[in-house]
Each structure stands twice: as C-alpha cells, then as structure tokens.
Amino acid sequence: VFETGAILIYLAEKTSRFMPTEPRQRSIVLQWLMFQMGGVGPMFGQQSHFNNYAPKITEPDKIEYAQNRYNQEVARLYHVIDRRLGEAEYLGGAEYSIADMATFPWARGHRRRHTDIEEYPNFGRWLEAMKARPAVRRRIDLLSEPPDRPNTRLARAEPRRASPRAR
C-alpha cells in the first residue's frame, strides 16, 4: 500500500479504528481526508516552496504571482477548516479520525505560513485539542529533537528489511 491517504484508509479498516462504519459518517471522514490530499497538502506545500525556497534561487519579482496565489489559497483553506470545525469537534465529525491525522501535520505549521490563528478560533481550538492527544504529543516531541544529533529513539529501531517482492 502506498500514498498517505490509502495507507490511512487501509490501517483504519484493518484495525477498525479512526473511521466510522456507518456509511454517512464514513463518507464525511473520507471527504475531509480527500480535502487534505487534494487541497491542504499540495497547496500548503506549494505555498511553502514559493515563500521559503524559491526566493533563494530566483528574483523576487519572478515569483510574486505564485506567492500571492498560494498565500491566498492557504488562507482560503484555513477558512474552510475553521468553518468546518465550527460545526464539529473534529474534521470528520464528533470523533478523531484519519482526516485529522492527515491534516494536522500540515495545518500546525500556521506560523511558517504567516497565518494568524486568532482569525480562525475553531481551528485554534482543534489545534490545541490535537496537540493534547498523547500519541500526537509523542510524535511532536520526537520531531522536535535537535537535527544536529542523532535521534536516539529512531536509532534504536531495527533496520527495515525489504520484502521479498521488493528485492
């Protein structure tokens, strides 16, 4: 299985966790997962590229259109997320789901995107609720280890072996 969304769906189905079984609620979770895969991930990625990396390799006037376009799109997407979170505790509804798992890593970078979360109070509430989840907190802590030294938690992991099919 490859691609983040497909992996999350597979794991949710395999474990019977983080995705409702009732068809209407399941559809809502999948809609918000697709919103992340087709909107949040690609657009936030482009916005980051044109604001953080492209200025180092090209003249500012050559990327102004792209910066404006993606800055506006990111603001629109934060607005859509905020509006949804005014209707429900989590993106997929009342329960934490794979839609939240997929969206949180992108959405939590609001400072890098020069986004004032005061403009998005429902998003701010969700962001704090997400950061308070024990598994999410462990992942944030793991990622916050300084990059100039080996990540001791990862260094202890056994190396992965390629499956027989991949060899």
Side-chain angles (χ1 to χ4, degrees), residues 68-161:
N68 290 336
R69 188 253 186 275
Y70 290 110
N71 289 342
Q72 290 172 5
E73 181 61 9
V74 163
R76 185 188 75 78
L77 292 171
Y78 273 116
H79 177 75
V80 171
I81 292 169
D82 188 67
R83 190 175 62 224
R84 170 58 180 161
L85 293 169
E87 302 167 353
E89 186 172 352
Y90 292 100
L91 290 171
E95 302 291 327
Y96 174 70
S97 73
I98 59 174
D100 302 291
M101 292 176 192
T103 305
F104 175 75
W106 288 100
R108 81 181 193 107
H110 60 91
R111 286 186 198 92
R112 283 191 312 274
R113 295 181 217 314
H114 307 286
T115 299
D116 181 5
I117 63 169
E118 297 295 320
E119 296 178 32
Y120 307 103
N122 301 309
F123 167 74
R125 176 206 41 86
W126 174 80
L127 189 68
E128 292 307 312
M130 292 293 292
K131 290 192 289 190
R133 295 185 65 82
V136 173
R137 182 80 255 151
R138 284 192 304 273
R139 181 55 56 196
I140 291 169
D141 292 345
L142 179 68
L143 293 173
S144 67
E145 288 195 13
D148 60 339
R149 66 185 173 109
N151 185 321
T152 56
R153 285 180 229 151
L154 290 178
R156 284 182 282 196
E158 289 292 317
R160 293 179 64 180
R161 295 186 181 149

Side-chain angles (χ1 to χ4, degrees), residues 29-74:
V29 167
L30 291 173
Q31 288 170 56
W32 284 99
L33 177 62
M34 299 305 144
F35 171 81
Q36 185 283 325
M37 292 174 4
V40 172
M43 297 301 110
F44 283 28
Q46 292 296 324
Q47 192 255 8
S48 180
H49 170 77
F50 284 108
N51 285 282
N52 299 313
Y53 304 105
K56 296 174 185 173
I57 60 171
T58 193
E59 298 161 31
D61 61 323
K62 292 187 177 183
I63 58 171
E64 183 179 3
Y65 169 81
Q67 288 174 325
N68 290 336
R69 188 253 186 275
Y70 290 110
N71 289 342
Q72 290 172 5
E73 181 61 9
V74 163

